[in-house]
Amino acid sequence: MTQIAYANPVNQHWELYRSDTPTRGGYLAVLWVTPQKEAHLYGNPPGDTGLPTTLSVTLNGEEKKTAYPPGKAEPDTFEPNKTIFAYETETPLFVPLMPGELQNKEATLNGTLKGLLCTKTSCMPIQMPTAFEAGKAKGETLKSAESQPWWREYRAALSMSDGQEAQKSHATDLHETQGFNPQFTPQYFAPGFEVTGLGKALLLAFIAGFILNFMPCVLPVISLKISALLGGAQEEDEKKRIHTFREHNVFFSLGILLYFVFLAGILSSLGLAWGQIFQKPYLVIGITALIFALSLSLFGLFNLPVIDLKTSGTSKSPRMQALFTGILATLLATPCSGPFLGGVLGWVLAQPPLIVALVFVFIGLGMSSPFLAMAIFPSLAKRFPKPGRWCGYLEQGVGLFLLATCVYLLSIIPQSLLIPAMAFMWVIALAAWIWGQWTSLSQSALKRWSIRAAAAALVVAAWPLLMQADAPEPWAEFQATQFEELLGKEPIILDFSAAWCTNCKALKKTTLTPDKLQKWSKEYRAKLIQVDLTDHNPDGMKLLNALGSQSIPVVAIFPKGDRSKQPLVLRDLFTSSQMEQALASHLKK
């Protein structure tokens, strides 16, 4: 249990150089900053987390520009999936100056160094004044900046700084045009394809749906359709083969139509855009889980009871298999079909629900038309090859396509959900292994289905544990006046936190969870107050220093009455049992 308690957490000293570069001639002031041992400052930019190191400097009342070198790229201590850029050793911060700015010997650079200093266990924001009498320094024999080993680093930092300034300027321009309200009379390159009525909408919807069969931007859609067509190729008897072929195509087409009707209802009732359902992270994870389970079944790990893509013809529910295969194939094709339906969707989604449903049915008819045609003309089944070992290779190829789809779908979910989603996939793999490898037909039906039920229960239980949404924060915002009024009158649990504090996030996930906090607040009738140090908070820092701390996480427990001036302080990382013990010992009734 340690904290940063340095009297001078960052060492600093200035140097001045002359610059002979024609476009950047003059002087170059360099502030060297060195964090204490086993600590680091975040760079500028800081990376995926943390606060950037900034140097605000003025000379003769004018603010000067600072160029920051790139930090060392490394994984964050508590969030290894995030990359930070750190200043760990002596690092130069560059302040270019013009020749005439140091004519006065009294010319002094005055500024403030801000940043976030972290060790492996603690972080503390720093705000340090700095001053440099540059006018006196220039009287000495100055070294050439161009001859220094860091010159290339400075040029790179200067270029990066110029790029950031350009981005800020662009962002300002965008902000200033928020009230922009243009009005045009557009002309279209292909006006014949613009939808102006129901008849053209239905025709183009059917054509677009048909084209989807030949434009599979998601590889598993092809794989699923191949599996569907091969559904009729496994019967040796020709009549049964034709019957199975026809039945499979009918139910596959029915799955396509059912999905489009369902999608029409969702889009018209909720006002969603085409493909917008894939903007729902938990829905994407659910789809990924289903596809991952399908891929495992294709590799023989287990057999799904209904949605089974194998071509062996052993499914006990071939109609339901074909139906769900059609639904799944269309679901995967949804986000890819926008380019072919642009004109249709732009018109139809502004129409009444019945029109929307009718147009979507025609899209489904267009997509299912090849399969309906094969159901009407089952003689096409004769063109299919006889079953053989190649079917097993095809199944494994389809499984590889499905795994590739899982990788793609995981790449579009928020970064914060990636690790929980991958853990959920692991649970699915474990459940599939239990389902397929722990059971056999030699077991009794009761034992076999008990094991399978346990495997399914494992997946169901893992979902809320891994995918739980963040509960509302139970903390009240710290206000100095309110805190002083409450002190001594009510028990207080005070927490110091910040968006850049990775340890604070770890505590929030393990010890200071909303349910535990609400339980403690109710049990001890304590007020929950949080001091946010994400940005500069003078009152919050004074309170932190009064508790003998300079870094966070810190939790202080203030009892009621005279003992309120003797709070119990917990630093850095601690467990729920330690928190329970602290509350019980300090807030006894």
mmCIF file of all heavy atoms in Angstrom, residues 133-169:
data_model
loop_
_atom_site.group_PDB
_atom_site.id
_atom_site.type_symbol
_atom_site.label_atom_id
_atom_site.label_comp_id
_atom_site.label_asym_id
_atom_site.label_seq_id
_atom_site.Cartn_x
_atom_site.Cartn_y
_atom_site.Cartn_z
ATOM 1 N N GLU A 133 14.715 32.895 -16.835
ATOM 2 C CA GLU A 133 15.189 34.220 -17.223
ATOM 3 C C GLU A 133 15.960 34.092 -18.541
ATOM 4 O O GLU A 133 17.189 34.028 -18.588
ATOM 5 C CB GLU A 133 16.066 34.813 -16.120
ATOM 6 C CG GLU A 133 15.288 35.063 -14.824
ATOM 7 C CD GLU A 133 16.165 35.628 -13.729
ATOM 8 O OE1 GLU A 133 17.410 35.620 -13.890
ATOM 9 O OE2 GLU A 133 15.614 36.090 -12.708
ATOM 10 N N ALA A 134 15.220 34.042 -19.621
ATOM 11 C CA ALA A 134 15.798 33.765 -20.937
ATOM 12 C C ALA A 134 16.659 34.910 -21.436
ATOM 13 O O ALA A 134 17.629 34.708 -22.178
ATOM 14 C CB ALA A 134 14.689 33.459 -21.944
ATOM 15 N N GLY A 135 16.313 36.153 -21.065
ATOM 16 C CA GLY A 135 17.090 37.309 -21.526
ATOM 17 C C GLY A 135 18.520 37.282 -21.036
ATOM 18 O O GLY A 135 19.450 37.644 -21.761
ATOM 19 N N LYS A 136 18.727 36.834 -19.831
ATOM 20 C CA LYS A 136 20.080 36.744 -19.295
ATOM 21 C C LYS A 136 20.835 35.573 -19.915
ATOM 22 O O LYS A 136 22.035 35.646 -20.166
ATOM 23 C CB LYS A 136 20.020 36.591 -17.783
ATOM 24 C CG LYS A 136 19.460 37.807 -17.065
ATOM 25 C CD LYS A 136 19.463 37.603 -15.563
ATOM 26 C CE LYS A 136 18.909 38.842 -14.843
ATOM 27 N NZ LYS A 136 18.893 38.658 -13.370
ATOM 28 N N ALA A 137 20.109 34.484 -20.171
ATOM 29 C CA ALA A 137 20.770 33.294 -20.710
ATOM 30 C C ALA A 137 21.317 33.532 -22.104
ATOM 31 O O ALA A 137 22.334 32.973 -22.487
ATOM 32 C CB ALA A 137 19.797 32.116 -20.715
ATOM 33 N N LYS A 138 20.671 34.406 -22.887
ATOM 34 C CA LYS A 138 21.101 34.576 -24.277
ATOM 35 C C LYS A 138 22.422 35.320 -24.377
ATOM 36 O O LYS A 138 23.074 35.323 -25.412
ATOM 37 C CB LYS A 138 20.029 35.297 -25.082
ATOM 38 C CG LYS A 138 19.988 36.819 -24.909
ATOM 39 C CD LYS A 138 18.937 37.442 -25.767
ATOM 40 C CE LYS A 138 18.942 38.967 -25.621
ATOM 41 N NZ LYS A 138 20.195 39.563 -26.116
ATOM 42 N N GLY A 139 22.799 35.984 -23.308
ATOM 43 C CA GLY A 139 24.070 36.670 -23.321
ATOM 44 C C GLY A 139 25.242 35.720 -23.337
ATOM 45 O O GLY A 139 26.363 36.095 -23.673
ATOM 46 N N GLU A 140 25.033 34.508 -22.972
ATOM 47 C CA GLU A 140 26.098 33.522 -22.965
ATOM 48 C C GLU A 140 26.301 32.965 -24.375
ATOM 49 O O GLU A 140 25.532 33.229 -25.294
ATOM 50 C CB GLU A 140 25.744 32.393 -21.995
ATOM 51 C CG GLU A 140 25.425 32.882 -20.588
ATOM 52 C CD GLU A 140 24.868 31.769 -19.717
ATOM 53 O OE1 GLU A 140 24.769 30.626 -20.215
ATOM 54 O OE2 GLU A 140 24.516 32.056 -18.562
ATOM 55 N N THR A 141 27.345 32.207 -24.556
ATOM 56 C CA THR A 141 27.587 31.546 -25.842
ATOM 57 C C THR A 141 26.627 30.372 -25.946
ATOM 58 O O THR A 141 26.739 29.393 -25.210
ATOM 59 C CB THR A 141 29.029 31.053 -25.937
ATOM 60 O OG1 THR A 141 29.912 32.156 -25.773
ATOM 61 C CG2 THR A 141 29.282 30.408 -27.296
ATOM 62 N N LEU A 142 25.673 30.505 -26.859
ATOM 63 C CA LEU A 142 24.631 29.488 -26.973
ATOM 64 C C LEU A 142 25.035 28.405 -27.960
ATOM 65 O O LEU A 142 25.633 28.674 -29.009
ATOM 66 C CB LEU A 142 23.313 30.129 -27.427
ATOM 67 C CG LEU A 142 22.716 31.189 -26.501
ATOM 68 C CD1 LEU A 142 21.423 31.743 -27.093
ATOM 69 C CD2 LEU A 142 22.436 30.611 -25.119
ATOM 70 N N LYS A 143 24.685 27.189 -27.647
ATOM 71 C CA LYS A 143 24.910 26.069 -28.541
ATOM 72 C C LYS A 143 23.866 26.069 -29.640
ATOM 73 O O LYS A 143 22.743 26.556 -29.465
ATOM 74 C CB LYS A 143 24.853 24.752 -27.771
ATOM 75 C CG LYS A 143 25.937 24.604 -26.714
ATOM 76 C CD LYS A 143 25.795 23.272 -25.987
ATOM 77 C CE LYS A 143 26.867 23.114 -24.920
ATOM 78 N NZ LYS A 143 26.715 21.822 -24.190
ATOM 79 N N SER A 144 24.227 25.502 -30.766
ATOM 80 C CA SER A 144 23.298 25.404 -31.891
ATOM 81 C C SER A 144 22.299 24.277 -31.648
ATOM 82 O O SER A 144 22.689 23.154 -31.308
ATOM 83 C CB SER A 144 24.068 25.144 -33.185
ATOM 84 O OG SER A 144 23.180 24.825 -34.240
ATOM 85 N N ALA A 145 21.019 24.587 -31.818
ATOM 86 C CA ALA A 145 19.992 23.566 -31.637
ATOM 87 C C ALA A 145 20.114 22.477 -32.690
ATOM 88 O O ALA A 145 19.861 21.294 -32.420
ATOM 89 C CB ALA A 145 18.603 24.203 -31.683
ATOM 90 N N GLU A 146 20.509 22.868 -33.917
ATOM 91 C CA GLU A 146 20.593 21.902 -35.006
ATOM 92 C C GLU A 146 21.654 20.826 -34.765
ATOM 93 O O GLU A 146 21.593 19.745 -35.362
ATOM 94 C CB GLU A 146 20.877 22.614 -36.329
ATOM 95 C CG GLU A 146 19.703 23.406 -36.869
ATOM 96 C CD GLU A 146 19.550 24.785 -36.228
ATOM 97 O OE1 GLU A 146 20.283 25.077 -35.248
ATOM 98 O OE2 GLU A 146 18.710 25.549 -36.696
ATOM 99 N N SER A 147 22.615 21.110 -33.908
ATOM 100 C CA SER A 147 23.692 20.140 -33.666
ATOM 101 C C SER A 147 23.381 19.198 -32.503
ATOM 102 O O SER A 147 24.184 18.308 -32.212
ATOM 103 C CB SER A 147 24.996 20.882 -33.363
ATOM 104 O OG SER A 147 24.871 21.640 -32.148
ATOM 105 N N GLN A 148 22.233 19.387 -31.864
ATOM 106 C CA GLN A 148 21.888 18.564 -30.713
ATOM 107 C C GLN A 148 21.293 17.223 -31.153
ATOM 108 O O GLN A 148 20.661 17.142 -32.214
ATOM 109 C CB GLN A 148 20.897 19.292 -29.806
ATOM 110 C CG GLN A 148 21.412 20.619 -29.271
ATOM 111 C CD GLN A 148 22.719 20.451 -28.523
ATOM 112 O OE1 GLN A 148 22.845 19.604 -27.639
ATOM 113 N NE2 GLN A 148 23.713 21.277 -28.887
ATOM 114 N N PRO A 149 21.484 16.174 -30.371
ATOM 115 C CA PRO A 149 20.963 14.847 -30.758
ATOM 116 C C PRO A 149 19.446 14.787 -30.810
ATOM 117 O O PRO A 149 18.888 13.882 -31.436
ATOM 118 C CB PRO A 149 21.523 13.920 -29.662
ATOM 119 C CG PRO A 149 21.854 14.814 -28.519
ATOM 120 C CD PRO A 149 22.265 16.122 -29.113
ATOM 121 N N TRP A 150 18.789 15.744 -30.164
ATOM 122 C CA TRP A 150 17.330 15.731 -30.147
ATOM 123 C C TRP A 150 16.717 16.593 -31.243
ATOM 124 O O TRP A 150 15.504 16.814 -31.260
ATOM 125 C CB TRP A 150 16.805 16.203 -28.781
ATOM 126 C CG TRP A 150 17.515 17.410 -28.202
ATOM 127 C CD1 TRP A 150 18.429 17.392 -27.212
ATOM 128 C CD2 TRP A 150 17.369 18.780 -28.590
ATOM 129 N NE1 TRP A 150 18.879 18.676 -26.927
ATOM 130 C CE2 TRP A 150 18.224 19.544 -27.768
ATOM 131 C CE3 TRP A 150 16.611 19.444 -29.545
ATOM 132 C CZ2 TRP A 150 18.344 20.923 -27.880
ATOM 133 C CZ3 TRP A 150 16.714 20.832 -29.668
ATOM 134 C CH2 TRP A 150 17.573 21.551 -28.848
ATOM 135 N N TRP A 151 17.500 17.128 -32.186
ATOM 136 C CA TRP A 151 16.976 18.061 -33.184
ATOM 137 C C TRP A 151 15.882 17.410 -34.043
ATOM 138 O O TRP A 151 14.839 18.023 -34.300
ATOM 139 C CB TRP A 151 18.109 18.587 -34.066
ATOM 140 C CG TRP A 151 17.616 19.471 -35.186
ATOM 141 C CD1 TRP A 151 17.585 19.180 -36.512
ATOM 142 C CD2 TRP A 151 17.068 20.782 -35.043
ATOM 143 N NE1 TRP A 151 17.043 20.218 -37.230
ATOM 144 C CE2 TRP A 151 16.720 21.231 -36.337
ATOM 145 C CE3 TRP A 151 16.828 21.616 -33.967
ATOM 146 C CZ2 TRP A 151 16.147 22.476 -36.577
ATOM 147 C CZ3 TRP A 151 16.263 22.867 -34.199
ATOM 148 C CH2 TRP A 151 15.931 23.286 -35.483
ATOM 149 N N ARG A 152 16.118 16.205 -34.495
ATOM 150 C CA ARG A 152 15.090 15.526 -35.310
ATOM 151 C C ARG A 152 13.821 15.298 -34.501
ATOM 152 O O ARG A 152 12.698 15.409 -35.023
ATOM 153 C CB ARG A 152 15.633 14.190 -35.827
ATOM 154 C CG ARG A 152 16.687 14.336 -36.911
ATOM 155 C CD ARG A 152 17.049 12.978 -37.491
ATOM 156 N NE ARG A 152 18.019 13.100 -38.573
ATOM 157 C CZ ARG A 152 18.495 12.071 -39.263
ATOM 158 N NH1 ARG A 152 18.083 10.837 -38.983
ATOM 159 N NH2 ARG A 152 19.371 12.269 -40.230
ATOM 160 N N GLU A 153 13.998 14.995 -33.221
ATOM 161 C CA GLU A 153 12.836 14.806 -32.345
ATOM 162 C C GLU A 153 12.047 16.105 -32.237
ATOM 163 O O GLU A 153 10.808 16.097 -32.233
ATOM 164 C CB GLU A 153 13.302 14.335 -30.970
ATOM 165 C CG GLU A 153 12.188 13.956 -30.025
ATOM 166 C CD GLU A 153 12.711 13.452 -28.693
ATOM 167 O OE1 GLU A 153 13.911 13.668 -28.402
ATOM 168 O OE2 GLU A 153 11.926 12.844 -27.941
ATOM 169 N N TYR A 154 12.755 17.218 -32.170
ATOM 170 C CA TYR A 154 12.086 18.520 -32.109
ATOM 171 C C TYR A 154 11.312 18.804 -33.395
ATOM 172 O O TYR A 154 10.162 19.264 -33.355
ATOM 173 C CB TYR A 154 13.119 19.617 -31.866
ATOM 174 C CG TYR A 154 12.617 21.001 -32.193
ATOM 175 C CD1 TYR A 154 11.550 21.571 -31.483
ATOM 176 C CD2 TYR A 154 13.185 21.748 -33.231
ATOM 177 C CE1 TYR A 154 11.080 22.840 -31.789
ATOM 178 C CE2 TYR A 154 12.721 23.011 -33.546
ATOM 179 C CZ TYR A 154 11.673 23.554 -32.822
ATOM 180 O OH TYR A 154 11.203 24.808 -33.128
ATOM 181 N N ARG A 155 11.933 18.531 -34.556
ATOM 182 C CA ARG A 155 11.245 18.783 -35.835
ATOM 183 C C ARG A 155 9.980 17.937 -35.938
ATOM 184 O O ARG A 155 8.943 18.403 -36.411
ATOM 185 C CB ARG A 155 12.195 18.463 -36.999
ATOM 186 C CG ARG A 155 13.432 19.322 -37.040
ATOM 187 C CD ARG A 155 13.121 20.776 -37.263
ATOM 188 N NE ARG A 155 12.515 21.002 -38.568
ATOM 189 C CZ ARG A 155 12.049 22.173 -38.977
ATOM 190 N NH1 ARG A 155 12.080 23.209 -38.159
ATOM 191 N NH2 ARG A 155 11.519 22.302 -40.172
ATOM 192 N N ALA A 156 10.073 16.669 -35.478
ATOM 193 C CA ALA A 156 8.884 15.812 -35.511
ATOM 194 C C ALA A 156 7.811 16.333 -34.561
ATOM 195 O O ALA A 156 6.615 16.345 -34.885
ATOM 196 C CB ALA A 156 9.259 14.375 -35.143
ATOM 197 N N ALA A 157 8.239 16.791 -33.369
ATOM 198 C CA ALA A 157 7.277 17.334 -32.401
ATOM 199 C C ALA A 157 6.624 18.585 -32.943
ATOM 200 O O ALA A 157 5.420 18.812 -32.754
ATOM 201 C CB ALA A 157 7.985 17.631 -31.080
ATOM 202 N N LEU A 158 7.406 19.423 -33.641
ATOM 203 C CA LEU A 158 6.863 20.663 -34.202
ATOM 204 C C LEU A 158 5.840 20.372 -35.288
ATOM 205 O O LEU A 158 4.776 21.004 -35.360
ATOM 206 C CB LEU A 158 8.008 21.507 -34.759
ATOM 207 C CG LEU A 158 7.719 22.987 -35.004
ATOM 208 C CD1 LEU A 158 7.380 23.684 -33.700
ATOM 209 C CD2 LEU A 158 8.926 23.652 -35.657
ATOM 210 N N SER A 159 6.131 19.366 -36.131
ATOM 211 C CA SER A 159 5.176 18.989 -37.189
ATOM 212 C C SER A 159 3.894 18.451 -36.597
ATOM 213 O O SER A 159 2.793 18.776 -37.051
ATOM 214 C CB SER A 159 5.815 17.950 -38.115
ATOM 215 O OG SER A 159 6.964 18.453 -38.729
ATOM 216 N N MET A 160 4.014 17.621 -35.558
ATOM 217 C CA MET A 160 2.830 17.071 -34.902
ATOM 218 C C MET A 160 2.014 18.174 -34.251
ATOM 219 O O MET A 160 0.791 18.185 -34.302
ATOM 220 C CB MET A 160 3.242 16.026 -33.864
ATOM 221 C CG MET A 160 2.068 15.297 -33.204
ATOM 222 S SD MET A 160 2.598 13.873 -32.222
ATOM 223 C CE MET A 160 3.559 14.712 -30.956
ATOM 224 N N SER A 161 2.702 19.156 -33.655
ATOM 225 C CA SER A 161 2.008 20.276 -33.019
ATOM 226 C C SER A 161 1.258 21.103 -34.045
ATOM 227 O O SER A 161 0.118 21.520 -33.823
ATOM 228 C CB SER A 161 3.007 21.143 -32.267
ATOM 229 O OG SER A 161 2.366 22.267 -31.705
ATOM 230 N N ASP A 162 1.890 21.335 -35.223
ATOM 231 C CA ASP A 162 1.204 22.075 -36.284
ATOM 232 C C ASP A 162 -0.035 21.344 -36.751
ATOM 233 O O ASP A 162 -1.080 21.948 -37.011
ATOM 234 C CB ASP A 162 2.154 22.301 -37.462
ATOM 235 C CG ASP A 162 3.275 23.272 -37.124
ATOM 236 O OD1 ASP A 162 3.108 24.053 -36.162
ATOM 237 O OD2 ASP A 162 4.312 23.237 -37.821
ATOM 238 N N GLY A 163 0.053 19.995 -36.847
ATOM 239 C CA GLY A 163 -1.112 19.207 -37.256
ATOM 240 C C GLY A 163 -2.243 19.293 -36.260
ATOM 241 O O GLY A 163 -3.413 19.392 -36.627
ATOM 242 N N GLN A 164 -1.905 19.281 -34.961
ATOM 243 C CA GLN A 164 -2.940 19.386 -33.931
ATOM 244 C C GLN A 164 -3.609 20.742 -33.970
ATOM 245 O O GLN A 164 -4.817 20.868 -33.777
ATOM 246 C CB GLN A 164 -2.314 19.128 -32.556
ATOM 247 C CG GLN A 164 -1.883 17.692 -32.342
ATOM 248 C CD GLN A 164 -1.171 17.502 -31.030
ATOM 249 O OE1 GLN A 164 -0.754 18.460 -30.389
ATOM 250 N NE2 GLN A 164 -1.007 16.254 -30.625
ATOM 251 N N GLU A 165 -2.822 21.811 -34.237
ATOM 252 C CA GLU A 165 -3.408 23.145 -34.333
ATOM 253 C C GLU A 165 -4.372 23.225 -35.500
ATOM 254 O O GLU A 165 -5.431 23.856 -35.418
ATOM 255 C CB GLU A 165 -2.301 24.192 -34.487
ATOM 256 C CG GLU A 165 -1.449 24.387 -33.240
ATOM 257 C CD GLU A 165 -2.259 24.950 -32.095
ATOM 258 O OE1 GLU A 165 -3.185 25.735 -32.344
ATOM 259 O OE2 GLU A 165 -1.986 24.572 -30.942
ATOM 260 N N ALA A 166 -4.012 22.577 -36.607
ATOM 261 C CA ALA A 166 -4.902 22.585 -37.767
ATOM 262 C C ALA A 166 -6.201 21.863 -37.462
ATOM 263 O O ALA A 166 -7.285 22.302 -37.852
ATOM 264 C CB ALA A 166 -4.202 21.929 -38.968
ATOM 265 N N GLN A 167 -6.118 20.739 -36.713
ATOM 266 C CA GLN A 167 -7.328 20.014 -36.344
ATOM 267 C C GLN A 167 -8.210 20.847 -35.433
ATOM 268 O O GLN A 167 -9.426 20.867 -35.565
ATOM 269 C CB GLN A 167 -6.943 18.712 -35.660
ATOM 270 C CG GLN A 167 -6.330 17.684 -36.589
ATOM 271 C CD GLN A 167 -5.971 16.409 -35.861
ATOM 272 O OE1 GLN A 167 -6.163 16.288 -34.659
ATOM 273 N NE2 GLN A 167 -5.439 15.449 -36.589
ATOM 274 N N LYS A 168 -7.576 21.563 -34.473
ATOM 275 C CA LYS A 168 -8.353 22.422 -33.581
ATOM 276 C C LYS A 168 -9.060 23.514 -34.366
ATOM 277 O O LYS A 168 -10.211 23.849 -34.113
ATOM 278 C CB LYS A 168 -7.434 23.038 -32.522
ATOM 279 C CG LYS A 168 -6.915 22.043 -31.506
ATOM 280 C CD LYS A 168 -6.022 22.748 -30.496
ATOM 281 C CE LYS A 168 -5.480 21.762 -29.470
ATOM 282 N NZ LYS A 168 -4.564 22.422 -28.510
ATOM 283 N N SER A 169 -8.344 24.102 -35.344
ATOM 284 C CA SER A 169 -8.950 25.152 -36.158
ATOM 285 C C SER A 169 -10.133 24.614 -36.944
ATOM 286 O O SER A 169 -11.180 25.251 -37.048
ATOM 287 C CB SER A 169 -7.892 25.731 -37.105
ATOM 288 O OG SER A 169 -8.453 26.672 -37.991
#
